[in-house]
Amino acid sequence: MNALSQPESRIELFWFLNNLLAIPVSAAQGEDNISVVEQWAAHGDSPPLHIHHSEDEVFVCLAGRLRINIDGKDVYLEAGGTAMAPKGRPHSFRVESKDGAHFLAITTGKDFEGMVRRVARKATAATLPEPAEPTEDMKAELTWICAEHRIQIVGPPLH
């Protein structure tokens, strides 16, 4: 994670794909189901292109540089920058900064957080996990779990 800030020790940490995540605000905490997922990711990290069918996703860059692709158009975020991927629109992100990125993903429903909790594993350290290329079985499982949470994978990660 280099120069990026470290997570608070009191927050439960997860390894999700090749990222370190925390969920400082869970959808279960309030009536509006707002979820805040804090993420730390390495240079080049990108999830598959996907569509959230039930919730908007707001990205807030805290450190580093992100390229957010929404409907085929790139938006670049640096610390303090914000972008929204409206539900129903294909989107992904890619970490462009050499030292990685620290950012928030904020949603207004339980689907994204629920998917993260199903796929992630408890982190044993406040560090990024060992990077791993997903197998075809892992990709199929992720696609299936995403579909259960009204998230559709529609393309590869960004390059």
Side-chain angles (χ1 to χ4, degrees), residues 4 9-10 37-38 50 53 60 65 90-91 110 127 130 134 136 153 155:
L4 302 180
S9 60
R10 63 178 174 76
V37 177
E38 187 173 7
H50 59 280
H53 289 288
V60 180
R65 181 175 166 89
H91 66 278
K110 296 180 180 181
T127 61
E130 285 295 320
E136 290 306 313
I153 295 179

Side-chain angles (χ1 to χ4, degrees), residues 73-147:
K73 295 182 178 143
D74 289 334
V75 175
Y76 290 87
L77 302 180
E78 299 201 14
T82 304
M84 184 177 72
K87 68 181 170 185
R89 305 267 178 90
H91 66 278
S92 186
F93 67 82
R94 184 175 188 279
V95 176
E96 298 292 339
S97 46
K98 296 279 186 225
D99 289 336
H102 179 202
F103 57 99
L104 304 176
I106 303 166
T107 55
T108 55
K110 296 180 180 181
D111 284 325
F112 177 65
E113 180 184 334
M115 181 276 300
V116 165
R117 288 184 182 278
R118 282 273 312 278
V119 173
R121 61 197 191 281
K122 186 150 175 78
T124 58
T127 61
L128 294 175
E130 285 295 320
E133 285 294 318
T135 65
E136 290 306 313
D137 286 345
M138 292 166 74
K139 290 177 186 178
E141 182 179 25
L142 178 64
T143 300
W144 181 73
I145 292 171
C146 282

Side-chain angles (χ1 to χ4, degrees), residues 51-64:
I51 299 170
H52 295 250
H53 289 288
S54 63
E55 55 198 352
D56 297 329
E57 184 174 15
V58 175
F59 294 92
V60 180
C61 185
L62 302 174

Side-chain angles (χ1 to χ4, degrees), residues 11-82:
I11 295 177
E12 185 177 17
L13 299 175
F14 302 93
W15 284 331
F16 176 75
L17 306 177
N18 289 322
N19 296 348
L20 176 67
L21 271 63
I23 303 176
V25 177
S26 173
Q29 290 177 258
E31 291 182 29
D32 290 336
N33 297 317
I34 295 170
S35 174
V36 177
V37 177
E38 187 173 7
Q39 301 184 53
W40 293 262
H43 174 259
D45 185 76
S46 177
L49 186 68
H50 59 280
I51 299 170
H52 295 250
H53 289 288
S54 63
E55 55 198 352
D56 297 329
E57 184 174 15
V58 175
F59 294 92
V60 180
C61 185
L62 302 174
R65 181 175 166 89
L66 294 172
R67 173 169 49 113
I68 312 290
N69 184 280
I70 303 165
D71 265 345
K73 295 182 178 143
D74 289 334
V75 175
Y76 290 87
L77 302 180
E78 299 201 14
T82 304

